Amino acid sequence: MRLTALDEAAAAIGLKKNQAVAEARAICPKLDVVEEDPEADRRLLDGIADWCDRYTPLVALDGRDGLYLDITGCVHLFGGEKALLQDILSRLFQMGLDARGAISSAPGLSWAISRFGNGGVIADEEMELVLSPLPVAALRLEEETVAALQKLGLKQTGDLIHAPRAPLARRFGAQLLLRLDQALGLDEEPISPRRPVASLSAERRLAEPVQAEEDILHLTGQIALSLKTSLEERGAGGRAFELVLFRVDGRVFRVAAGASQPLRDPRRIAALFSERLHAVHDDLDAGYGFEILRLNVTRHEAFDAAQEDFDGDRQKDVSLASFVDRVSARLGEDCLQSFQLRESHVPERSVTAAPAIRTLSSGKKSEKSSVSWSRGERPLRLFPRPEVVEVSLAEVPEGPPESFRWRRMLHRVSRSEGPERLAMEWWIDGADVQARDYFRIEDDAGHRFWIYREGLYGQMPPPRWFMHGVFA
């Protein structure tokens, strides 16, 4: 067993990472050792990252023990960079976390100052001066590169800043110069946020935390009202929303809701979250209350501001959309399914089921959905998988069966129409798949079926018959 992490007190008495626990106990018999739990550490870091969303939506993970926050455009909301950094560190300290932080225009420099310096806010003209006394390990280099630099006497970053670059590149590669330029702000370094950034967002910071569900929904409606103007300026409406609740103890809850049509109406948006809060009521622990509420529009589409007509068709569409939205919010988006046509002539592939909340349009029929078959050509009920039919006698070579047995019942054919040959899709099923000959058949009791023959008589293997659907 070896040490994987140390606190400041352990480092002060000479303990080091990767040191054997037995050796560490020999140095300090009263050493308190806790078994490492990487999953718990990851959950803690994710929780802190969620909590940091109150400062900026651009939060990225940095390894196992760090975070990057892109605070561009957010500093004025907290009284400046120093006030922002002080607020973050003091709040984390009150939650029992001893953290270090730094603010600069270069992520690499902030990383170095946070881990090897004293933190703080570094101005652009101070970047080289602050970076110079730090060890070369502050440049985020590989351990082998750091060891090789130290053997040559290049122990501080300042030793590399004014050194000739060509010999360094030949000896240690371009990665060394890249890390040096990133720390000095000479080379840009992108930050990848852990969550997608919302297209529109509004929040409410409360003087007193709220706990009741009615208060949360009331505030959600007010926040949605403030988003209405921004949506109108874009000519858009929200299709996917996210309500972010920041609890006073640092925990963050995210409640997502979707709409079948682009929405701007604050009342309908609040109604979506009313159903969602009922659905997640047991998982939403208000604790001592929520101090910040944020409403994000994660997806928006063009808003059709069509006027309602006199016969009420527009109102019917709105009522249907509202019903789909509320049911999907309460029971999940998969509870209501609708069907869409696909580019395939194979019957079982020509239609696919999708959540109604995603496919319900604003009253406009798409080009694909306007194409349909008459009931006389395709059955009302199509089986998802064709069922085997036993045929004892059929007209040879391409005629319909005289009788067939399906689901242990014998049916005698009185009328038939066909065949209608459908070739399979060789790019999916392969080149050896056989074509299908479909028949519309009516038995002597008046029942109508849609069956097909796979293969031809006189060929090997012999043909097989299948039931694919029934008519009304």
Side-chain angles (χ1 to χ4, degrees), residues 428-441:
I428 297 177
D429 304 298
D432 298 333
V433 65
Q434 295 179 331
R436 298 176 180 178
D437 288 337
Y438 279 87
F439 295 88
R440 289 180 290 274
I441 288 178

Side-chain angles (χ1 to χ4, degrees), residues 13 44 50 105 108 156-157 163 174 176 216 218 221 223 225 246 271 290 300 326-327 333 358 390 395 469:
I13 62 176
L44 174 62
D50 284 336
S105 59
Q156 294 183 339
T157 306
L176 172 61
I216 296 175
H218 176 70
I223 301 174
L225 182 62
F246 295 85
F290 302 105
H300 62 80
R326 299 190 66 177
V327 173
E333 65 177 20
R358 299 182 184 177
E390 298 178 8
E395 296 181 8

Side-chain angles (χ1 to χ4, degrees), residues 245-455:
L245 306 173
F246 295 85
R247 207 166 65 180
V248 293
D249 63 351
R251 188 173 179 184
V252 180
F253 294 87
R254 299 178 183 273
V255 183
S260 58
Q261 295 179 341
L263 292 185
R264 291 179 184 169
D265 187 3
R267 292 177 298 177
R268 292 187 62 184
I269 296 175
L272 293 179
F273 287 102
S274 175
E275 299 297 336
R276 287 299 299 148
L277 292 178
H278 280 90
V280 301
H281 183 270
D282 295 337
D283 298 329
L284 188 64
D285 182 11
Y288 291 102
F290 302 105
E291 58 180 349
I292 302 177
L293 279 74
R294 179 182 299 162
L295 181 61
N296 296 328
V297 181
T298 57
R299 184 165 63 93
H300 62 80
E301 295 179 359
F303 186 82
D304 181 16
Q307 183 177 357
E308 297 181 5
D309 49 19
F310 291 105
D311 58 5
D313 287 342
R314 180 69 177 174
Q315 185 60 36
K316 292 179 182 178
D317 293 339
V318 173
S319 300
L320 176 61
S322 178
F323 169 76
V324 172
D325 293 344
R326 299 190 66 177
V327 173
S328 300
R330 175 69 70 90
L331 303 177
E333 65 177 20
D334 294 333
C335 66
L336 296 177
Q337 299 284 326
S338 63
F339 296 96
Q340 288 184 313
L341 297 180
R342 295 177 58 188
E343 295 288 348
S344 176
H345 61 269
V346 179
E348 61 266 27
R349 297 174 184 162
S350 61
V351 178
T352 181
I357 194 171
R358 299 182 184 177
T359 59
L360 185 63
S361 63
S362 57
K364 294 182 179 181
K365 294 184 179 180
S366 62
E367 182 178 355
K368 291 183 180 181
S369 62
S370 62
V371 180
S372 61
W373 293 300
S374 64
R375 291 185 178 180
E377 294 180 351
R378 292 294 183 266
L380 180 64
R381 181 185 177 189
L382 186 71
F383 299 149
R385 294 182 180 85
E387 300 181 7
V388 177
V389 171
E390 298 178 8
V391 174
S392 57
L393 182 63
E395 296 181 8
V396 178
E398 297 181 352
E402 297 291 338
S403 63
F404 62 92
R405 186 177 299 275
W406 175 55
R407 294 183 178 178
R408 299 183 180 180
M409 293 187 63
L410 181 64
H411 300 269
R412 300 187 182 278
V413 178
S414 60
R415 296 181 180 87
S416 65
E417 184 179 0
E420 176 189 0
R421 178 160 295 182
L422 294 179
M424 301 301 290
E425 297 169 341
W426 57 266
W427 56 92
I428 297 177
D429 304 298
D432 298 333
V433 65
Q434 295 179 331
R436 298 176 180 178
D437 288 337
Y438 279 87
F439 295 88
R440 289 180 290 274
I441 288 178
E442 181 178 337
D443 65 2
D444 52 5
H447 300 140
R448 301 181 64 214
F449 308 94
W450 201 42
I451 68 175
Y452 70 87
R453 182 188 66 245
E454 186 178 79

